[in-house]
Every structure is written in C-alpha cells, then in structure tokens.
Amino acid sequence: QVQLVESGGGLVQPGGSLRLSCAASGSISSFIAMGWYRQAPGKQRDLVATVTTGGSTNFVDSIKGRFTISRDNAKNTVYLQMNSLKPEDTAVYYCNARRARETFWGQGTQVTVSS
C-alpha cells in the first residue's frame, strides 16, 4: 500500500518561507513523477510543481522564481521550498505521485499566508 504523508504546513506572514515535505512509503524512483498541487477554498485543485524520475521539473507560472521542488531518493521524500509567500498562496497543499497505472494522493497540509 502506497502512502504519501505531507508535513511542514502552517501559518506564515507574507514574504515568509515554508518547506513542505512528502514522505512516501517505498522508493520514489518507482514513480514516473511526483509533485505538489494546491486547492484554495471554493476553487479547483491546481498543479504547483512536479518533478520526474529523470529530474525534469514543471511549475505553475504564479510561483516561478519563488518555489523549488526537489527530491531526496535516500529518504524517499519530495520537498517544496516556498519562499516569498503571498496571501494568494494560501491553500491546502497535496502531494501527488504517479505510476503508469496508478495515481496516489496525500492527505494534504494547510498553508496559510496572512499578516
């Protein structure tokens, strides 16, 4: 059973930073891609950033230059470093992992950016 456990969310002031972690049960090299999505209240779940096994990354335009996605294969963990946070970044952030025939989601972690 594949499990994804997110952590690192919380309350931060505008301009602050947070690092989200997604720990997977098993080797993350078994996934075609892993990434982060977010969903604000009343809105759809949108892609934030993804990284493939080969290291290719993709980001939504609104966070380019502020967020970084990275992997630690030894720890089976994917990170999302979030800098220069804005109130519009407030959302529940979900970890996602994909195989050829399967997709998995974490439970989500709340990020609130407010003064």
Side-chain angles (χ1 to χ4, degrees):
Q1 184 82 21
V2 173
Q3 291 184 314
L4 304 174
V5 181
E6 303 101 328
S7 62
L11 175 64
V12 65
Q13 294 186 0
S17 298
L18 287 173
R19 188 181 73 163
L20 305 184
S21 299
C22 175
S25 59
S27 175
I28 61 173
S29 65
S30 68
F31 298 109
I32 298 171
M34 296 187 70
W36 294 90
Y37 293 70
R38 66 187 180 187
Q39 186 168 21
K43 298 193 175 185
Q44 68 180 50
R45 188 175 299 184
D46 293 326
L47 180 145
V48 178
T50 61
V51 60
T52 68
T53 301
S56 298
T57 57
N58 185 47
F59 301 91
V60 67
D61 287 343
S62 61
I63 60 90
K64 286 182 178 178
R66 299 189 296 122
F67 293 8
T68 301
I69 188 168
S70 61
R71 303 176 302 173
D72 187 333
N73 291 337
K75 295 181 178 180
N76 293 322
T77 300
V78 172
Y79 302 95
L80 184 69
Q81 178 66 48
M82 306 186 294
N83 300 320
S84 301
L85 283 161
K86 304 175 181 179
E88 50 263 46
D89 295 319
T90 296
V92 177
Y93 284 70
Y94 296 91
C95 183
N96 171 264
R98 284 170 280 164
R99 290 176 175 159
R101 299 181 181 181
E102 300 170 287
T103 300
F104 305 95
W105 292 95
Q107 294 298 308
T109 184
Q110 177 71 48
V111 172
T112 302
V113 185
S114 177
S115 59

